[in-house]
């Protein structure tokens, strides 16, 4: 059975650290604590005096003054790891934690998981080829020497950096290393940790190199593990669930995130809000429980992206000049069927094809496998279709040798609809208004990744009103846009009422429109 030695880097809240250490050791695991030397000495003494007689607790020596982006964070980690290796010979795994981390699984589950996966868990992506670094300097982290802290001494940091660039003082990366980058939160096997410690003693050149790189906690362990461990024994992921906002800041979890956190395929979560006392209490009790069944749904990141994106819908860039100046043609009619339930729109289109001779194409901007003719490659991906939407539509008009064309779009594609409506051609819009049952919304949540097979009923119950409101919001935006040739049919309207709108949209006789409106099971799910 796996025995875990937790490597805890912390700098505040001694009471929480004591509680976390007791929680871990009471469950039979170990903990090695590095408490930042910059923090008050009284706080460290409180931790040491309270936990000093616990045989499953050890402390890193010496303590280091840590600064963000500095080598000091790596050195503090190495000191804590070395202390754990010496103090806990029975430890099979070493798991990196911060004071903001909390367990989201039981100790029993964690040990069984590690027994079943004989691997090292660490994010390690190629430093130069991956896009892990989103902003700021990249190669310059490595090829120049950084001895100052960018946050504490910003002016001096960049003065030193620019001087090295001006003088051409680049340095070589150790030739036998392929630099990797990833999250600092890892879980490594004992053999791997011992290899790393041996490597640090044998390769002083590598240690000198990393001591003056910038933000080495994202590259040091990640590079050494790839260098020392066979690739098939590495799982390129962290076991700590964490998310970042659009601004690169860690997402904080609160009391109402309990069920969502337990459903993620991770062992710990970061970062838990200091004010989330109920969440911390529940997660603290969870770690020592037994025979707990976890329903892994893993929808956390997609759920966060969905919820934080609401109300921020807009166009990031203005339209390109070749799109604004181009036109589908003044004499042409583009008819857009807008419907959230794609199967309803497809069912309607199938009957329109039988009733009229107008070519009709399903969700070409939403489904990559929508049948389309070969148009020279512009139709191959959704990205290309959207980017060159007017050119694509002109080519479809030409291919079908028609001046009238029907396409389906999702209500979320308002920017596309507005673009076509602003063209010199005639754009007609038919909104198909549907009712959304709870079962349909649950299925929708599963289809778009907001929920999984194991998502708890309580999470779904809280999520459904948000999804329903989001769909209503999309519909309201369509109606508020004030399109000139706009019609709407509804699931709650009579066939006669819907026929009037279908006749106006398609410019067909009332009898044909009534036949379409009476399509059997048109709105059925």
């Amino acid at each position: 059975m796996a025995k875990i030695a937790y490597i805890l880097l912390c700098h505040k809240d001694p009471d929480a650290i004591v509680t976390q250490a007791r929680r871990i050791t009471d469950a039979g695991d170990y903990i090695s604590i590095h408490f930042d030397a910059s923090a008050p000495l009284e706080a460290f003494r409180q931790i040491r005096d309270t936990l000093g007689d616990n045989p499953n607790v050890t402390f890193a020596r010496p303590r280091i003054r840590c600064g963000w982006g500095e080598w000091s964070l790596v050195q503090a980690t190495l000191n804590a790891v070395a202390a754990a290796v010496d103090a806990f010979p029975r430890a099979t795994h070493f798991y990196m934690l911060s004071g903001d981390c909390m367990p989201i699984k039981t100790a029993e589950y964690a040990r069984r998981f590690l027994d079943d996966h004989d691997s090292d868990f660490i994010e390690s992506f190629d430093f130069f080829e991956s896009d892990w670094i989103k902003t700021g300097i990249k190669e310059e982290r490595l090829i120049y020497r950084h001895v100052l802290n960018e946050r504490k001494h910003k002016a001096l940091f960049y003065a030193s950096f620019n001087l090295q660039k001006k003088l051409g003082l680049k340095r070589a990366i150790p030739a036998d290393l392929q630099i990797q980058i990833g999250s600092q939160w890892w879980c490594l096997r004992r053999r791997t940790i011992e290899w790393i410690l041996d490597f640090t003693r044998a390769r002083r050149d590598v240690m000198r190199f990393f001591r003056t790189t910038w933000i080495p906690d994202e590259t040091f362990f990640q590079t050494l593990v790839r260098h020392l461990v066979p690739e098939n024994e590495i799982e390129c992921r962290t076991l700590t669930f964490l998310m970042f906002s659009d601004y690169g800041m860690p997402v904080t979890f609160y009391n109402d995130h309990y069920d969502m956190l337990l459903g993620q395929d991770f062992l710990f979560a970061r970062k838990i809000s200091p004010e989330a006392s109920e969440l911390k209490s529940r997660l603290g009790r969870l770690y020592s429980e037994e025979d707990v069944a976890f329903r892994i749904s893993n929808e956390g990141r997609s759920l966060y992206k969905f919820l934080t994106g609401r109300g921020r819908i807009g166009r990031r860039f203005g339209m390109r000049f070749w799109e604004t100046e181009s036109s589908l043609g003044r004499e042409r009619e583009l008819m857009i069927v807008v419907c959230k339930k794609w199967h309803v729109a497809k069912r309607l289109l199938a009957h329109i094809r039988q009733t009229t001779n107008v070519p009709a194409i399903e969700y070409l901007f939403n489904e990559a496998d929508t049948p389309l003719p070969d148009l020279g490659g512009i139709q191959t991906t959704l990205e290309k279709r959207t980017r060159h939407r007017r050119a694509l539509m002109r080519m479809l008009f030409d291919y079908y040798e028609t001046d009238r064309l029907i396409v389906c779009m999702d209500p979320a594609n308002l920017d596309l609809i507005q673009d076509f409506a602003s063209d010199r051609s005639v754009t007609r819009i038919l909104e198909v208004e549907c009712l959304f049952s709870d079962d349909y919304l649950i299925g929708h949540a599963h289809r778009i990744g907001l929920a999984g097979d194991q998502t708890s009923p309580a999470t779904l119950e809280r999520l459904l009103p948000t999804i329903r409101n989001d769909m209503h919001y999309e519909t309201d935006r369509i109606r508020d846009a004030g399109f000139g040739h706009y019609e709407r049919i509804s699931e709650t309207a009579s066939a006669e009422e819907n026929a009037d709108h279908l006749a106006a949209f398609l410019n067909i006789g009332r009898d044909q429109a009534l036949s379409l409106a009476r399509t059997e099971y048109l709105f059925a799910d």
Side-chain angles (χ1 to χ4, degrees):
M1 177 69 73
K3 296 279 285 184
I4 308 170
Y6 291 97
I7 310 301
L8 178 63
L9 262 59
C10 48
H11 65 281
K12 60 182 180 180
D13 201 350
D15 291 332
I17 293 167
V18 169
T19 300
Q20 189 174 40
R22 284 175 170 165
R23 177 189 310 121
I24 287 171
T25 56
D26 287 349
D29 290 315
Y30 311 109
I31 189 167
S32 177
I33 300 172
H34 179 277
F35 192 73
D36 196 328
S38 301
L41 180 60
E42 295 76 14
F44 175 67
R45 285 175 175 166
Q46 176 186 343
I47 298 169
R48 186 189 58 192
D49 293 347
T50 306
L51 299 173
D53 59 350
N54 188 325
N56 287 354
V57 177
T58 190
F59 296 93
R61 297 180 179 83
R63 293 164 59 220
I64 305 293
R65 292 181 178 271
C66 296
W68 185 89
E70 295 179 5
W71 168 257
S72 55
L73 286 172
V74 178
Q75 188 62 62
T77 305
L78 288 171
N79 291 354
V81 165
V85 169
D86 291 340
F88 311 127
R90 296 180 59 198
T92 61
H93 293 78
F94 296 77
Y95 194 123
M96 179 80 171
L97 288 178
S98 77
D100 296 321
C101 297
M102 289 287 290
I104 56 175
K105 298 291 184 294
T106 62
E108 179 184 66
Y109 181 100
R111 293 174 191 139
R112 186 167 60 245
F113 179 92
L114 294 176
D115 284 340
D116 293 341
H117 298 81
D118 187 19
S119 301
D120 294 308
F121 290 86
I122 184 168
E123 279 190 353
S124 54
F125 304 99
D126 187 278
F127 185 91
F128 298 99
E129 298 298 328
S130 72
D131 63 347
W132 202 86
I133 299 175
K134 302 297 184 184
T135 60
I137 61 176
K138 186 172 182 179
E139 180 186 25
E140 293 83 359
R141 290 191 186 190
L142 306 176
I143 63 175
Y144 297 113
R145 296 167 178 84
H146 303 279
V147 296
L148 298 165
N149 187 296
E150 191 262 356
R151 292 188 173 180
K152 294 179 182 177
H153 311 288
K154 186 179 289 288
L156 289 174
F157 178 92
Y158 285 105
S160 170
F161 171 51
N162 291 326
L163 181 62
Q164 292 181 71
K165 287 179 66 176
K166 182 176 180 180
L167 298 177
L169 299 179
K170 292 183 180 181
R171 61 172 176 174
I173 297 170
D176 59 330
L177 293 184
Q178 183 177 1
I179 304 299
Q180 305 287 309
I181 191 166
S183 168
Q184 70 182 107
W185 312 109
W186 39 254
C187 178
L188 304 176
R189 296 167 297 176
R190 185 181 192 91
R191 183 190 65 178
T192 302
I193 287 292
E194 290 173 344
W195 285 350
I196 289 174
L197 293 177
D198 290 343
F199 186 92
T200 63
R201 290 187 283 265
R203 293 293 301 273
R204 309 312 299 174
D205 59 321
V206 173
M207 299 299 284
R208 285 193 299 272
F209 172 79
F210 277 107
R211 278 195 181 97
T212 51
T213 60
W214 181 232
I215 320 183
D217 55 304
E218 294 178 351
T219 55
F220 179 78
F221 289 98
Q222 296 78 358
T223 299
L224 264 58
V225 170
R226 283 283 176 188
H227 183 71
L228 298 170
V229 179
E231 184 174 359
N232 62 355
E233 296 182 23
I234 301 172
E235 291 206 28
C236 188
R237 55 164 294 199
T238 174
L239 294 179
T240 298
F241 180 62
L242 67 163
M243 299 188 295
F244 291 91
S245 71
D246 292 345
Y247 305 102
M249 301 300 293
V251 172
T252 301
F253 299 112
Y254 296 93
N255 290 333
D256 58 348
H257 288 130
Y258 180 80
D259 289 330
M260 184 273 287
L261 290 175
L262 264 59
Q264 307 314 301
D265 189 18
F266 297 85
L267 304 184
F268 276 74
R270 184 183 186 272
K271 324 169 83 169
I272 308 299
S273 169
E275 288 77 33
S277 55
E278 179 186 346
L279 177 62
K280 290 194 289 186
S281 176
R282 295 179 72 183
L283 292 177
R285 294 193 301 269
L286 173 71
Y287 190 70
S288 59
E289 293 181 10
E290 297 180 353
D291 299 324
V292 178
F294 293 94
R295 299 164 56 125
I296 305 301
S297 54
N298 230 26
E299 80 286 7
R301 289 193 172 97
S302 58
L303 190 59
Y304 173 78
K305 182 178 180 181
F306 168 73
L307 293 174
T308 56
R310 296 176 65 244
R312 301 176 58 206
I313 299 168
R315 303 174 74 176
R316 295 191 63 175
F317 303 104
M319 290 164 55
R320 298 162 175 83
F321 72 90
W322 61 82
E323 292 180 339
T324 57
E325 294 301 320
S326 63
S327 173
L328 305 186
R330 193 181 300 275
E331 73 286 354
R332 286 172 167 167
E333 284 188 20
L334 177 64
M335 294 176 282
I336 303 174
V337 176
V338 181
C339 184
K340 195 66 181 180
K341 289 187 176 181
W342 296 1
H343 61 280
V344 173
K346 292 177 181 180
R347 197 175 293 145
L348 177 61
L349 246 63
H351 288 275
I352 289 176
R353 292 191 190 100
Q354 297 173 9
T355 304
T356 72
N357 293 322
V358 181
I361 302 171
E362 296 172 359
Y363 287 85
L364 73 167
F365 295 110
N366 302 101
E367 291 185 303
D369 58 354
T370 297
L372 290 172
D374 185 355
L375 302 173
I378 195 174
Q379 83 291 345
T380 52
T381 67
L382 292 176
E383 182 182 10
K384 286 184 178 181
R385 297 176 200 172
T386 303
R387 186 189 311 136
H388 306 295
R389 47 191 174 270
R390 292 199 184 185
L392 172 68
M393 212 59 70
R394 286 198 309 272
M395 295 173 76
L396 287 170
F397 274 110
D398 292 339
Y399 177 84
Y400 289 108
E401 298 180 349
T402 183
D403 289 332
R404 304 183 76 209
L405 182 68
I406 303 174
V407 297
C408 290
M409 291 190 192
D410 191 281
N413 298 137
L414 179 61
D415 57 339
L416 296 180
I417 300 170
Q418 287 177 320
D419 182 27
F420 289 124
S422 67
D423 191 76
R424 289 193 294 270
S425 63
V426 176
T427 302
R428 300 185 183 277
I429 297 166
L430 175 70
E431 181 187 356
V432 182
E433 183 182 38
C434 301
L435 300 178
F436 301 107
S437 66
D438 286 352
D439 287 342
Y440 174 82
L441 294 179
I442 290 172
H444 178 74
H446 283 275
R447 285 190 293 275
I448 64 175
L450 297 180
D453 293 337
Q454 301 300 318
T455 300
S456 69
T459 299
L460 286 172
E461 184 177 351
R462 289 197 299 269
L463 181 60
L464 290 187
T466 302
I467 299 177
R468 191 184 302 278
N469 290 337
D470 197 64
M471 291 184 173
H472 290 321
Y473 173 67
E474 290 178 350
T475 299
D476 288 342
R477 291 172 69 221
I478 296 289
R479 296 174 188 176
D480 291 343
F483 295 117
H485 301 278
Y486 170 82
E487 304 290 340
R488 182 172 79 248
I489 64 173
S490 174
E491 184 172 356
T492 59
S494 66
E496 289 72 17
E497 291 173 316
N498 286 338
D500 292 335
H501 296 288
L502 285 168
F505 173 69
L506 294 168
N507 194 20
I508 59 177
R510 179 170 173 76
D511 290 342
Q512 284 182 299
L514 192 57
S515 175
L516 289 173
R518 288 173 174 167
T519 298
E520 193 173 8
Y521 305 118
L522 176 60
F523 292 98
D525 290 334

